[in-house]
Amino acid sequence: MSKITDWDSRIGRRLRLRDLHVFFTVVQTGSLAKAAAALRVSQPAVSQLIIDLEHVVGAKLFDRGSRGVTPTIYGRALLTRGQAAFDELRQGLQEIEFLSDPTAGEMKVGCQEAIAAILAPVIESYAQRYPGVVLDIYEEEFDRYAARLRNRTLDFVLQRLRDPIRPNDPFFDDLNVELLFNDRMVIAAGMNSRWARRRKIDLAELIDEPWILSPPDTTNYRVITEAFRSRGLAPPRIGLKTLSTHLRANLVGSGKFIAPFPNTVFTFYAERFAMKALPVALPIWPWPVAVLTLKNRTLNPVVRSFLDHLRNSFASRMRERGA
């Protein structure tokens, strides 16, 4: 690879945004032909543009094979930095749009269903103030959220973490983690359940009840099973395993099941589904709810205004509970 001494001239005069757009499309599709079809141009045109781009950067960007193309180490470097450059430009244009109309804009948010429940009143009050802002909510696994943050297709993630952040955890090296509050677990039953009238319940009494739990790799499952084990008891009888908070609340409200909920989620659903938190002592288990953003990324004004609203909303809620 030849060394380029005049980078400003090379980038300013010979590297075009369209070149990078085509390059990104080839990486995404893994094929020159598929990229050409997506861009509605001919394959030779795409091939020539990639050749010209390789000449501009002075390195081979793709390895060609029978199954398509894959980026080289040089291609991956250009992809990472090029995405950041495109993202900053997009954020700049969004900021200009916001300055011209501070009540409009768009943001992309990663948020689990259980978190979406406590986010609903925040969105409602924010939408009343900024009716022109569009929130695009993604519900996926946390690893996918992190990947989307890193490739800049999400603005931020609101996440209930499984455990407190450990110092020097390499997974979060490139992420800002802002703790909003620590949640706790409660066990809920329907208002017409025989347990709802009890003033004190020992955990052992609930072992044979039909429980609804999340799958074994979740905090929901771990807290409950560890609570039983710490008492020298076998895990409780599980009637249903589901990640669906809405389904869990519906069935608990019927009075035939019991289930654990994060306290903030229970508070949101309790009246709607006629549920009551049972007086059962559970071990204290730190359960942080946090906002995750990408380090060294400029957030557009709409995102910043929403995060400010989010912080203020939760702070007010915590003060009310402490009063």
Side-chain angles (χ1 to χ4, degrees):
M1 176 180 176
S2 60
K3 187 173 182 179
I4 301 174
T5 57
D6 188 3
W7 277 110
D8 289 342
S9 176
R10 180 68 63 95
I11 294 172
R13 296 181 182 180
R14 300 183 60 184
L15 187 61
R16 299 170 299 176
L17 290 176
R18 174 169 171 75
D19 298 342
L20 288 177
H21 177 60
V22 173
F23 168 73
F24 296 153
T25 306
V26 174
V27 172
Q28 184 179 14
T29 60
S31 163
L32 297 175
K34 290 179 181 178
L39 295 166
R40 298 183 180 180
V41 298
S42 67
Q43 181 175 337
V46 171
S47 180
Q48 185 59 52
L49 188 146
I50 295 300
I51 292 172
D52 293 343
L53 186 58
E54 289 177 329
H55 180 70
V56 170
V57 301
K60 184 180 180 182
L61 298 176
F62 290 100
D63 287 323
R64 277 78 167 173
S66 58
R67 296 185 177 181
V69 296
T70 55
T72 63
I73 58 171
Y74 311 114
R76 290 196 296 273
L78 181 62
L79 176 66
T80 301
R81 301 298 184 180
Q83 283 181 326
F86 254 79
D87 180 63
E88 287 296 324
L89 180 59
R90 180 171 58 251
Q91 300 284 29
L93 294 175
Q94 288 176 337
E95 186 157 356
I96 292 171
E97 181 182 31
F98 182 83
L99 291 171
S100 62
D101 182 2
T103 64
E106 182 177 3
M107 70 189 86
K108 298 182 184 296
V109 182
C111 181
Q112 297 170 311
E113 182 199 10
I115 291 290
I118 64 176
L119 189 60
V122 179
I123 293 175
E124 182 178 1
S125 57
Y126 184 82
Q128 290 176 349
R129 187 174 181 183
Y130 300 105
V133 173
V134 177
L135 276 78
D136 197 350
I137 306 291
Y138 291 78
E139 295 183 15
E140 295 180 318
E141 295 297 322
F142 179 52
D143 288 347
R144 292 189 179 181
Y145 286 150
R148 282 183 176 272
L149 273 179
R150 290 179 173 115
N151 67 24
R152 299 168 182 258
T153 55
L154 285 181
D155 291 304
F156 70 91
V157 170
L158 182 62
Q159 179 77 20
R160 181 179 285 107
L161 303 177
R162 293 182 181 179
D163 298 291
I165 299 294
R166 299 186 301 273
N168 303 318
D169 186 337
F171 183 83
F172 295 97
D173 277 351
D174 58 343
L175 301 178
N176 298 307
V177 183
E178 178 188 350
L179 176 67
L180 290 176
F181 61 90
N182 276 304
D183 215 338
R184 62 183 179 88
M185 186 79 75
V186 299
I187 298 173
M191 291 295 291
N192 61 347
S193 165
R194 64 190 178 98
W195 299 106
R197 296 183 292 274
R198 294 277 296 272
R199 295 186 178 181
K200 187 176 181 180
I201 301 172
D202 188 272
L203 187 64
E205 297 179 77
L206 301 176
I207 192 168
D208 291 323
E209 289 297 298
W211 284 75
I212 304 175
L213 294 180
S214 300
D217 62 341
T218 62
T219 302
N220 176 298
Y221 183 95
R222 285 191 295 161
V223 170
I224 296 302
T225 54
E226 286 298 322
F228 276 89
R229 289 194 183 102
S230 69
R231 294 282 306 279
L233 302 170
R237 182 171 74 87
I238 301 175
L240 173 67
K241 291 180 184 178
T242 178
L243 285 171
S244 172
T245 303
H246 196 268
L247 176 60
R248 196 183 317 154
N250 262 292
L251 292 174
V252 168
S254 73
K256 298 177 182 178
F257 294 86
I258 60 175
F261 289 87
N263 185 56
T264 48
V265 174
F266 168 78
T267 302
F268 180 78
Y269 279 116
E271 183 176 354
R272 184 180 304 180
F273 292 100
M275 297 190 299
K276 181 179 180 180
L278 300 182
V280 182
L282 290 174
I284 296 175
W285 190 298
W287 209 1
V289 175
V291 170
L292 284 76
T293 55
L294 186 64
K295 287 183 178 178
N296 302 317
R297 184 190 185 192
T298 303
L299 297 177
N300 72 56
V302 171
V303 176
R304 295 199 297 268
S305 72
F306 182 82
L307 289 179
D308 285 341
H309 183 77
L310 178 70
R311 294 182 192 103
N312 293 334
S313 297
F314 281 122
S316 297
R317 198 177 305 178
M318 296 299 111
R319 285 195 297 270
E320 290 172 2
R321 289 178 184 171

